[in-house]
Amino acid sequence: LIFHKLPHAALPVLVLSFLTTVVHTQSLTHGPIVGGVTENGARFYVRVAPSANASMRLALTPDFSNALLAQAIATDSTRDFTALLALNRLQPDQLYYYQALVNNAPAGEVRSFKTFPRAGSRMPFRFAFGSCIVNRKTPGATDGRVFEIMAQDEPRFFLQIGDWTYPDSTDSPRNPQRVFSAEMSRIHASYRSKYDSIYAVQKVLRAAPVDYVYDDHDYLNNDASATSYPRPESLLTVSVSPEARANSIRAYQELFPGYELANANGGIWHKFTFGNADFFMLDTRSQRSPNLEAFVYNAATDSIEFAPSPDHSMLAGDPNLIGEDQKTWLL
């Protein structure tokens, strides 16, 4: 309580001063999601905001007796409060339960997955794949019912091989060069949408690891390629800034629990092995020649023909790439 006696005032003025403390409680907002699985390791995604120490516990039983703990990572705003956690020394072909830890306290769902069998071993297995997921929060929406069936089949992993969301949907003919990936904040928002627990794809992600390669929307804009994308209102193309491409690749590395990239300078192509099967995940956006370059006008026939030049490539169309290109790596 502070009293002030003002000049010429009949009575002193009473000023009440209060010290207010605002407490922000850290919480798990997204995840956990497992990816990058091998016969003896896995990676995990969690988002904890505001900043906190995020970790993961892993065990052979859902009560987490004799649990393995991932090294904690402090989340921060530069990566949208995301932590990518790794655990190794796992047993092949084994069911594990996992749960996030926030400041050493259990948080969120208990989920499960199986590590892969030893490389080279032969066995039957199921996996699931999908693309172009429409995510709607409309009450009563029935999008994604196929994921309920996928989950019943107990796939060993799920491959998302197309547009996981449609983050470029705010671009418009009046503003065609507002490429969403030019702004990291919009990429962050697109990954939060991918991992939103309200969507049916979570039914699969609760019990199977995920791997992912983006398509046009999640990479840059609709029908984007290595260096350009079409204007929405015509067949003309506009160039893509190197920063926008770099942001897409950087975000994949910082926000998705994936496998090591073959050449992170230029794209997200990579591979993984399940038993005696190799899976090659191809990036047909950041490296391909623009589609329209494969078509030429033939005046003699007054028609547009498919006649790509010898250097046109769906897998190695970026002439400025540093290091091995995707086509060479694949062959």
Side-chain angles (χ1 to χ4, degrees), residues 28-156:
L28 178 73
T29 68
H30 295 74
I33 291 172
V34 62
V37 173
T38 65
E39 63 181 82
N40 52 25
R43 302 180 72 206
F44 303 86
Y45 160 93
V46 294
R47 183 179 184 273
V48 179
S51 300
N53 288 325
S55 184
M56 188 67 55
R57 62 176 182 170
L58 194 71
L60 298 175
T61 56
D63 62 1
F64 291 99
S65 60
N66 301 314
L68 298 172
L69 300 179
Q71 183 176 354
I73 293 177
T75 63
D76 62 67
S77 60
T78 60
R79 297 192 178 191
D80 194 38
F81 304 101
T82 291
L84 296 181
L85 305 156
L87 274 165
N88 299 307
R89 299 178 288 109
L90 307 183
Q91 302 175 31
D93 202 22
Q94 181 64 58
L95 177 67
Y96 282 95
Y97 297 90
Y98 65 101
Q99 186 181 32
L101 301 176
V102 178
N103 292 333
N104 296 319
E109 297 180 355
V110 175
R111 297 187 170 191
S112 63
F113 74 101
K114 270 190 173 183
T115 49
F116 291 174
R118 295 188 186 279
S121 60
R122 297 181 62 181
M123 61 175 291
F125 66 96
R126 295 186 183 98
F127 69 94
F129 63 92
S131 67
C132 302
I133 298 176
V134 178
N135 289 340
R136 293 193 181 99
K137 294 185 178 181
T138 306
T142 58
D143 296 321
R145 285 180 296 175
V146 67
F147 297 113
E148 299 178 11
I149 307 302
M150 287 182 180
Q152 293 173 15
D153 284 340
E154 299 181 346
R156 294 298 296 264

Side-chain angles (χ1 to χ4, degrees), residues 144-173:
R145 285 180 296 175
V146 67
F147 297 113
E148 299 178 11
I149 307 302
M150 287 182 180
Q152 293 173 15
D153 284 340
E154 299 181 346
R156 294 298 296 264
F157 52 86
F158 171 67
L159 304 181
Q160 174 58 31
I161 52 176
D163 301 317
W164 197 332
T165 55
Y166 293 92
D168 64 340
S169 59
T170 56
D171 301 328
S172 67

